[in-house]
């Protein structure tokens, strides 16, 4: 994040300087105008390269912070495009205003007032753009915080469900062992019952045989 902050500060300095030079471009002429155009072209090109470096750093940044950084980068690109359009319009307006006139015909007071007016307008536009970027960044940070909070809640719910599922598996295993133990007890009870029935039947048979032989012996005696 520190390197991205450095690039952002460098980009702000480049665009602020370019904005000031664009304001001066409307009152420049001859060699001064050509030098200003060259300087503005260089500043805008460096600003574009700085945004490209920010984009590369964002790719290697933390995935959680990447959406907010990407949103800021999009705002910077939009601001740079607007500044390039202003530069193009300033060059066109200068050519139109100077058509058919000599640069020495400008009144010094009018030039100074026009320059101040344009610089103030550009400063106000830059300030509005800065405020919009600040608000956009704040919204992006709030959105990121909400997203992280939702992710944390989902993670906690997932852990709760995982623990509940583990307890359910343990309960199911306990029920399985209890069921097997109960089946074993039932089988033993039935086996013991059959054994008792068998023993009772044997006793009953022995008694019947004994009674039969007793009656048989009495009849032979008589």
């Amino acid at each position: 994040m520190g390197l991205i902050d450095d690039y952002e500060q460098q980009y702000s300095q480049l665009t602020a300087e370019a904005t000031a030079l664009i304001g001066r471009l409307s009152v420049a002429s001859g060699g001064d105008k050509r030098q200003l155009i060259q300087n503005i072209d260089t500043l805008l090109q460096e600003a574009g390269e700085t945004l490209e470096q920010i984009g590369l750093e964002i790719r290697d940044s933390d995935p959680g912070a990447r959406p907010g950084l990407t949103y800021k980068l999009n705002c910077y690109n939009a601001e740079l495009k607007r500044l390039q359009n202003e530069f193009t319009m300033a060059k066109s307006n200068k050519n139109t205003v100077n058509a058919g006139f000599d640069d020495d015909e400008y009144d010094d007071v009018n030039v100074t007032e026009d320059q101040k007016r344009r610089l103030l307008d550009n400063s106000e536009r830059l300030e509005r753009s800065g405020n919009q970027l600040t608000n956009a960044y704040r919204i992006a940070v709030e959105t990121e915080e909400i997203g992280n909070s939702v992710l944390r809640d989902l993670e906690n719910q997932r852990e709760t469900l995982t623990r509940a599922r583990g307890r359910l598996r343990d309960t199911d295993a306990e029920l399985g062992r209890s069921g097997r133990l109960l089946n074993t007890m039932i089988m033993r009870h039935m086996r013991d019952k059959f054994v008792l029935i068998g023993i009772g039947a044997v006793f009953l048979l022995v008694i019947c045989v004994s009674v039969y032989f007793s009656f048989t012996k009495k009849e032979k005696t008589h």
Side-chain angles (χ1 to χ4, degrees):
M1 292 295 292
L3 191 57
I4 293 179
D5 292 337
D6 293 339
Y7 282 134
E8 288 180 341
Q9 184 177 2
Q10 180 180 351
Y11 167 78
S12 299
Q13 293 173 352
L14 291 170
T15 53
E17 187 175 353
T19 300
L21 294 181
I22 290 174
R24 292 173 52 190
L25 181 62
S26 60
V27 296
S29 62
D32 291 340
K33 173 187 172 183
R34 287 191 294 271
Q35 185 62 42
L36 282 174
I37 292 176
Q38 183 178 356
N39 292 340
I40 294 171
D41 279 330
T42 301
L43 290 171
L44 293 180
Q45 182 177 358
E46 291 181 358
E49 293 174 353
T50 302
L51 293 184
E52 291 178 359
Q53 292 297 325
I54 293 176
L56 293 176
E57 292 297 327
I58 290 176
R59 295 178 184 175
D60 298 331
S61 64
D62 182 40
R66 198 172 298 165
L69 295 174
T70 302
Y71 187 85
K72 287 180 62 178
L73 179 60
N74 292 335
C75 293
Y76 288 147
N77 283 319
E79 181 188 23
L80 181 60
K81 184 176 181 180
R82 177 191 57 77
L83 199 58
Q84 290 171 340
N85 291 335
E86 288 186 4
F87 176 44
T88 302
M89 292 176 61
K91 289 190 294 185
S92 301
N93 291 337
K94 181 67 176 76
N95 292 334
T96 303
V97 170
N98 287 340
F101 296 92
D102 187 80
D103 294 328
D104 294 335
E105 294 179 2
Y106 282 99
D107 183 75
D108 292 339
V109 176
N110 291 334
V111 169
T112 302
E113 290 178 354
D114 185 65
Q115 181 180 5
K116 288 181 179 180
R117 179 179 58 80
R118 290 182 179 275
L119 284 174
L120 287 174
D121 291 342
N122 288 330
S123 297
E124 290 176 356
R125 284 196 294 268
L126 183 61
E127 184 178 359
R128 287 195 298 270
S129 298
N131 292 334
Q132 291 174 355
L133 285 174
T134 300
N135 292 332
Y137 178 70
R138 177 179 56 80
I139 294 173
V141 170
E142 291 176 355
T143 303
E144 179 183 353
E145 291 177 353
I146 293 173
N148 290 334
S149 177
V150 172
L151 288 176
R152 286 193 296 269
D153 291 341
L154 291 175
E155 181 67 20
N156 293 333
Q157 292 177 9
R158 187 173 70 87
E159 292 178 358
T160 301
L161 290 174
T162 300
R163 289 194 296 269
R165 186 168 54 187
R167 288 194 295 268
L168 183 60
R169 284 198 299 266
D170 294 339
T171 302
D172 185 64
E174 290 294 334
L175 288 175
R177 286 193 293 270
S178 299
R180 289 192 296 271
L181 179 61
L182 182 60
N183 289 332
T184 302
M185 293 175 63
I186 292 174
M187 293 298 294
R188 288 179 179 176
H189 176 71
M190 293 181 65
R191 184 186 61 188
D192 294 341
K193 186 176 181 180
F194 286 134
V195 170
L196 289 175
I197 292 174
I199 293 173
V202 170
F203 274 118
L204 182 61
L205 180 62
V206 170
I207 291 171
C208 291
V209 170
S210 298
V211 171
Y212 173 76
F213 280 111
S214 296
F215 280 111
T216 304
K217 289 177 67 176
K218 287 180 179 181
E219 289 178 357
K220 287 182 178 181
T221 303
H222 292 291

